[in-house]
Amino acid sequence: NTEDLIWKRRMKLDISSKPSYGHAFTKYWELYGNEHPEWFALGENGERGIHGFSKLDQSRQKFCVSNLLLQDEIVNNWKRDYKENGNNIYNASINDMNGYCTCDSCKLLDSKDHEHEDFQEKAKTDRYVYFWNSLLKKAKEFNPNAKLIAYAYSDYRYPPVKIKLSEDIILGFVPQFNDLSNETKRDLEGW
């Protein structure tokens, strides 16, 4: 009813956008893998593209999040969507599974506060906060009302250490295996 719409506008609730959740980039390997393998994670074997668990599911490829041309392509896709649908909220949820980029540029983005012996188990939060913030900044150039949706999940569920999350990023916090321990509560509060 009209009163509900007025209340939602006063509360600055964005009722015009229909946010999309879930893994955002499941078609990217299929669309860009052959032409732009440099956009995808550098594996521990020194090769880009399909490696690790993602051999079983090519839709789960991880990115080289420090690659600026990849960021530009993602934002160009959002720009086309904005022109067609007028959406203000863009899905930037990372594809699931292991296979994080091991290139020097991505590893420089990681915090040293959560290091473990195995690279794949180190917290990757700061690299993804960098990625999300960069995407949002570029999206705001064509849409000042842009917001992003992403997940704080798996090895990037820990709060960021070096980089602050932009205000216009909406996070879904996913605890490790539905763990509601004090450590998980502390991680959630850290965001």
Side-chain angles (χ1 to χ4, degrees), residues 1-181:
N1 71 32
T2 305
E3 289 179 12
D4 288 342
L5 291 174
I6 293 170
W7 181 84
K8 289 176 181 178
R9 285 191 184 121
R10 285 184 183 148
M11 296 297 113
K12 298 184 179 183
L13 297 174
D14 188 352
I15 57 174
S16 62
S17 294
K18 295 176 179 86
S20 171
Y21 298 89
H23 302 127
F25 307 109
T26 58
K27 300 278 187 207
Y28 272 64
W29 177 258
E30 180 183 328
L31 293 171
Y32 305 110
N34 289 330
E35 189 175 343
H36 294 288
E38 71 278 7
W39 291 358
F40 296 89
L42 178 69
E44 292 177 324
N45 62 0
E47 296 177 10
R48 293 203 182 262
I50 298 175
H51 53 273
F53 292 113
S54 56
K55 286 181 181 178
L56 304 173
D57 186 353
Q58 295 179 8
S59 70
R60 303 285 182 109
Q61 293 303 303
K62 289 276 198 271
F63 287 143
C64 177
V65 296
S66 63
N67 189 301
L68 299 179
L69 295 177
L70 165 67
Q71 294 175 20
D72 288 343
E73 184 62 22
I74 291 168
V75 173
N76 284 336
N77 288 332
W78 290 345
K79 189 175 187 177
R80 283 189 289 277
D81 181 60
Y82 177 68
K83 286 178 181 177
E84 290 175 21
N85 303 313
N87 281 340
N88 291 328
I89 301 176
Y90 308 101
N91 186 356
S93 298
I94 304 302
N95 293 340
D96 207 356
M97 292 201 176
N98 287 338
Y100 297 99
C101 189
T102 62
C103 82
D104 291 339
S105 297
C106 284
K107 287 166 74 171
L108 279 173
L109 297 169
D110 293 337
S111 167
K112 305 297 181 211
D113 284 15
H114 298 295
E115 283 193 10
H116 302 288
E117 288 182 25
D118 181 4
F119 171 78
Q120 295 298 342
E121 293 179 8
K122 293 178 188 173
K124 308 296 184 303
T125 304
D126 283 282
R127 74 168 57 187
Y128 288 114
V129 171
Y130 160 82
F131 182 61
W132 299 325
N133 286 348
S134 297
L135 292 175
L136 181 62
K137 183 178 179 184
K138 291 172 188 253
K140 284 190 175 286
E141 290 174 9
F142 71 86
N143 179 2
N145 297 316
K147 293 178 178 32
L148 297 188
I149 290 176
Y151 293 129
Y153 177 64
S154 187
D155 297 329
Y156 45 96
R157 71 183 180 278
Y158 306 101
V161 175
K162 301 188 306 187
I163 303 172
K164 187 176 191 257
L165 187 70
S166 171
E167 274 185 31
D168 287 331
I169 297 176
I170 304 159
L171 277 185
F173 182 80
V174 182
Q176 188 70 2
F177 304 113
N178 296 319
D179 175 20
L180 298 177
S181 67

